[in-house]
Amino acid sequence: MTTFPGSARVETVMGTPVSVDIRTALPARELTPLLDDAFAWLRWVDDIFSPAREDSQIRRLNRGQTIRQIPEIIEVLHRCDELREATGGWFDARINGVIDPSGYIKGWALERLSRALSQAGAVDHRITAGGDIRVRGSAAPGRRWRVPLRDPRTSAVRKVVAAHDLGIATSGGSPVVNPLTGQRRRGLGSVTVLGPDLGVADAYATAMYAMGPALARRFAKRLADEGPYRTLIVSLDGQEVAEYGGAETRLAG
């Protein structure tokens, strides 16, 4: 099988191993700086937005201290407000008076990185960070990327997605906070959302995981009816799988 030369690198950023796999045939003198810049961007995002870092801008904001004028902060917080409205409050970056955009920021950062790689000429790539995956272009000449959708609790493959341009976000495996009550809850096994913007998919997956089975199914159906986002929901016992949408991607059981 013909393959692309490319290059790949894995580093731990934002508390998880992040893999950037570039398959576009670019010279090493271009690939190495691209990968350097990719991980520098992700570290910058973590430095700015991590609520766990003492010196992060989000931590300073939560303490009522002055922060630097960074356009990305305004962008992220504004988008989180829009997603809160779009999900009926089930996604919320402000819980109990604390700002924490974690349910959006990783997907947003990877989406921005994917676009930057494409603009730099690395049009064939896959970025993976935990349950967030962004693919563009081809894995090999004429071949879509094939991405297994794994159960975050058991690592079992639920489906395999074949796509040239897709964001995939999975929430599950641990309790989440119900933003409407501030209490932790766990009513589903996992929720995977697939669509054109990984940050949005990340927020939708987080919201539906917090909703619980009945509301999540209704919301997933609405997403499938209204736009390009598709959803895979696995019940808490792992036995029931429900799919909503999926016309534009190839799903193999």
Side-chain angles (χ1 to χ4, degrees):
M1 181 182 71
T2 304
T3 61
F4 287 142
S7 184
R9 186 184 300 177
V10 179
E11 293 186 17
T12 298
V13 189
M14 296 185 285
T16 190
V18 179
S19 168
V20 179
D21 184 354
I22 298 174
R23 299 290 178 90
T24 306
L26 294 172
R29 67 177 182 276
E30 295 182 26
L31 284 169
T32 299
L34 277 178
L35 290 170
D36 290 343
D37 289 346
F39 285 99
W41 157 253
L42 295 175
R43 286 191 293 271
W44 181 86
V45 170
D46 195 32
D47 288 343
I48 297 297
F49 290 98
S50 173
R53 288 181 173 270
E54 281 293 331
D55 58 346
S56 77
Q57 296 301 295
I58 289 298
R59 188 69 175 267
R60 289 181 61 84
L61 192 58
N62 281 326
R63 291 196 297 250
Q65 297 174 310
T66 57
I67 63 172
R68 304 202 307 269
Q69 296 298 311
I70 299 174
E72 286 84 355
I73 295 177
I74 298 172
E75 175 190 341
V76 165
L77 295 182
H78 176 68
R79 193 70 181 111
C80 285
D81 288 342
E82 291 180 334
L83 288 163
R84 181 182 64 231
E85 183 176 349
T87 60
W90 286 101
F91 172 84
D92 198 343
R94 307 168 193 263
I95 299 178
N96 297 328
V98 177
I99 299 173
D100 182 359
S102 299
Y104 173 69
I105 196 66
K106 187 168 61 173
W108 172 82
L110 268 58
E111 181 68 33
R112 287 278 297 262
L113 173 55
S114 177
R115 294 175 187 175
L117 288 174
S118 294
Q119 291 169 1
V123 295
D124 307 288
H125 59 260
R126 169 176 169 163
I127 311 169
T128 304
D132 290 335
I133 301 169
R134 189 62 169 92
V135 297
R136 284 188 194 268
S138 301
R143 296 176 64 90
R144 297 181 181 214
W145 290 95
R146 289 180 60 83
V147 183
L149 306 185
R150 297 185 180 275
D151 188 315
R153 301 168 302 161
T154 67
S155 295
V157 177
R158 293 290 181 179
K159 296 287 178 180
V160 176
V161 178
H164 286 301
D165 186 355
L166 192 66
I168 304 166
T170 298
S171 290
S174 60
V176 296
V177 174
N178 179 338
L180 304 183
T181 65
Q183 303 297 312
R184 295 172 71 84
R185 66 178 296 176
R186 180 175 176 177
L188 286 168
S190 65
V191 177
T192 298
V193 178
L194 306 89
D197 186 301
L198 181 55
V200 174
D202 204 357
Y204 284 161
T206 300
M208 280 187 275
Y209 189 58
M211 287 177 189
L215 288 177
R217 290 173 190 277
R218 287 202 289 270
F219 188 81
K221 185 178 185 305
R222 194 191 89 192
L223 285 182
D225 290 342
E226 293 180 354
Y229 290 91
R230 283 84 70 192
T231 306
L232 181 73
I233 296 176
V234 178
S235 63
L236 192 58
D237 62 10
Q239 298 302 309
E240 186 178 356
V241 178
E243 295 177 32
Y244 299 86
E248 296 181 10
T249 55
R250 298 176 182 174
L251 291 176

